[in-house]
Amino acid sequence: MKILNVDVAIIGAGTAGMTAYRQVLRRGKTAVLIEDSHYGTTCARVGCMPSKLLISAADHRHAIAEAPKFGVNVDTSTVEVDGVAVMDRVKRERDRFVSFVVSDVEGFDADTKLWGTARFTAENTLEVGDHTQVNAKAFVIASGTSPRTPAALQELGDKLLTTDEIFYWDDLPKSIAILGTGVIGMEIGQALHRLGVKVTVVNRSQRIVGIQDPKVAENARNVFSEEMDIRFDTQVLRAERQGNEVQLSLQDAQGAESLLTVECVLNAAGRQPNIEKLNLAAAGVTVDAKGKLSFNAHTLQVENKPIFLAGDVNGLHPILHEAADDGRIAADNAVNWPIAPQAPARRCPMKVVFSNPQVMSVGLAFSQLPADVRIGEVSFTNQGRSRVMLENKGMLRVYADKNTDVFLGAEMVGPSAEHLAHLLAWSAQQQLTIKEMLGMPFYHPVVEEGLRTALRNTHSN
């Protein structure tokens, strides 16, 4: 067996792992990058980019359906969605994005890459496949996540799908049940619905795309339920294959049972860290009954070991730019080991859901707000530019410290949320006050005028 000695061993060649690899080399240390699945990030391959390609197709179909409301008469009965063509573009463009990432990895020094499954054999030693022993001073685990499969669905075979499969479709299905109202469930569910697929979304609770503010969450439930069949507080009791279809037995909050027959099921109800093959016990690391590790959320260090978690695997911020930041933090702490790990300042938290209307959150989450908070809100129902575009749905709530007037964060469902999220994240990171934000220019007529209204309302309560 070949023996390789390096300063830092990095497991996983996604966004966090690639960033960590580059950072270690930038710091003048030696590294090895280990992968056993795919070169290319989750974002490019089965996440952000292919989902936006599907959403873009759905947006064009929806615009045609909405055209008569503007006096633009279109015979919508003759509009055909060519599922094969839709998925062909999704796959072609997806493969183009992936090729850029793969090209980056292929450009790395061949002597610093290993292909195979990594497993610890001691605190400072890995075996990769059956061919290489890696001795390292520290490790960055950036192995990502995989979909979690509920027990009730495990007998469905190829009728049970995850995002690992749907972006390889050759055509769109006729019907689908989507389990989960998280980001994946709502983005994919609405896109498929607008492309003519009969979609039923099932969720065990009232939660929707991670919104914490109860008023914004209620508004979101109402807005999305107007368009789609979403069954909140509903669980799957049984799932059976019946020929080329799947029959789900559902139970609602009142205990009433119903049957749902669909062509396939998309499991979007959660993911789990890819750590089961790592044999972490050999490194002296404890994995709890739920398959989770104890680690410092600020330094990313696992227990007191020379091991650092970066990217989706740590479950903190499953977003590309956050994964890249994780990679840098983990790499720096791994390079400096055994010097005490550092916890550098993070960027302002920001999340965007590319549904329609969009959803965003920035800054402190609702559960993190202090008791002495002022809240301003605005409805987009009668907001000028939103009505012009017939996108007048949703609401925005902004939070400010009652004593200092400093802007703390916001949650929103509504038009142009991806752009408002950036304005507000920048404001929060600079710790601007509401007064300072209101002193900025607001053009007319724009959706941002709704933001101005919400900011003003923090001063009136």
Side-chain angles (χ1 to χ4, degrees), residues 55-106:
I55 289 168
S56 293
D59 286 346
H60 280 76
R61 175 62 182 87
H62 184 67
I64 295 171
E66 293 289 287
K69 295 180 181 179
F70 293 89
V72 179
N73 296 318
V74 179
D75 184 359
T76 57
S77 65
T78 64
V79 177
E80 176 188 353
V81 174
D82 184 341
V84 173
V86 168
M87 292 310 303
D88 179 65
R89 179 174 186 266
V90 168
K91 290 185 290 186
R92 280 189 292 106
E93 288 297 307
R94 182 271 316 279
D95 291 347
R96 178 173 174 271
F97 289 123
V98 171
S99 71
F100 297 146
V101 182
V102 172
S103 178
D104 283 348
V105 179
E106 289 177 345

Side-chain angles (χ1 to χ4, degrees), residues 141-155:
I141 297 176
S143 50
T145 61
S146 299
R148 181 184 298 111
T149 303
L153 304 176
Q154 291 177 353
E155 302 302 319

